[in-house]
Amino acid sequence: NEYELLNSFLKNKGHVSFLAEPSEIKQAKGGFLHFGSYKIDIIRRAGEIRYFKSQKSAQKIFSAYKKGKVLIINDFHNRLWGIKSVFAILRNKKFHYLFSKEELSAIKESIPESHVLSGSTDNIKNENFWLKKNNYVLKPSDVSEGENILFGKDLSAGKWRGLLSSKNCEGWVVQKVIKLKKRKVLQI
């Protein structure tokens, strides 16, 4: 996985790097964090914030972060972009007055059409969602890490329509499928 690859890469470059569970990290006097005999300067958080927050052993990490004793590379502020409903807000014309023309242009070019489901039949009134289901994807608003992502093209019209009006999908996001350009990827 990406964390093991990064860990190996950093070690190969001569850095002290390790993978650890929050329960394995200890807090020393002065609020600094340690793993074994190593002082921790930087953490790359690997888990979803909702799971991370629920671990009592992670509280020392939150404390050290708040006191500036450790740097978290993908910090908790960056977590906002994992919440897909933010995209629906940015694409909603009701909020366009908050942005400059340049910002609106960037939003339109960068963020796919996105809508938050209300968990009622109101969702199926938007003909694009259910008549053009092959053009849409349904996913949880919060970071799903690739799970529970449903493409309209893979579902029957009845199943798709049922999901759009389901209370179980309330708060989920329907996004227009985007076509990605093929690009070369750096391999390390």
Side-chain angles (χ1 to χ4, degrees):
N1 67 36
E2 67 180 286
Y3 307 108
E4 291 169 351
L5 286 172
L6 180 60
N7 189 41
S8 294
F9 176 78
L10 291 171
K11 284 180 176 181
N12 288 337
K13 295 293 182 182
H15 299 283
V16 175
S17 180
F18 45 83
L19 301 174
E21 292 289 327
S23 60
E24 298 174 300
I25 296 172
K26 306 299 178 207
Q27 194 164 23
K29 281 188 176 180
F32 292 98
L33 300 176
H34 291 266
F35 177 76
S37 61
Y38 297 106
K39 178 180 169 272
I40 300 172
D41 297 309
I42 301 172
I43 292 177
R44 182 176 190 282
R45 183 179 47 83
E48 249 191 84
I49 190 71
R50 64 180 164 195
Y51 301 123
F52 195 71
K53 276 181 153 178
S54 68
Q55 295 181 3
K56 284 190 176 194
S57 57
Q59 296 311 309
K60 62 185 160 280
I61 296 170
F62 283 107
S63 173
Y65 171 70
K66 287 177 186 176
K67 293 176 183 173
K69 303 293 184 180
V70 68
L71 173 68
I72 299 179
I73 294 175
N74 53 343
D75 71 15
F76 306 106
H77 299 97
N78 291 340
R79 175 64 181 82
L80 179 65
W81 296 108
I83 302 172
K84 304 301 179 270
S85 57
V86 169
F87 298 146
I89 292 167
L90 292 173
R91 288 296 301 244
N92 189 323
K93 290 179 183 175
K94 183 168 67 173
F95 302 109
H96 284 186
Y97 73 94
L98 297 169
F99 304 102
S100 70
K101 285 182 182 180
E102 293 82 19
E103 290 168 331
L104 287 172
S105 177
I107 289 168
K108 188 174 181 182
E109 289 178 28
S110 307
I111 299 174
E113 176 189 331
S114 305
H115 305 272
V116 178
L117 297 181
S118 64
S120 73
T121 55
D122 291 345
N123 298 317
I124 59 174
K125 289 179 185 170
N126 183 326
E127 291 182 5
N128 283 337
F129 290 175
W130 67 278
L131 288 178
K132 299 180 181 177
K133 69 177 186 64
N134 291 351
N135 297 332
Y136 290 89
V137 62
L138 176 63
K139 58 179 88 170
S141 174
D142 202 4
V143 175
S144 61
E145 296 185 353
E147 293 183 24
N148 298 317
I149 296 175
L150 306 168
F151 286 85
K153 67 179 181 134
D154 296 334
L155 302 171
S156 70
K159 177 74 172 171
W160 181 254
R161 190 175 179 143
L163 286 168
L164 292 180
S165 59
S166 168
K167 284 282 186 201
N168 292 335
C169 293
E170 186 172 356
W172 282 38
V173 174
V174 176
Q175 284 183 324
K176 193 156 195 174
V177 174
I178 57 171
K179 292 186 171 115
L180 297 176
K181 294 176 186 175
K182 290 186 178 182
R183 297 179 180 175
K184 291 183 179 182
V185 177
L186 173 66
Q187 294 183 357
I188 52 174

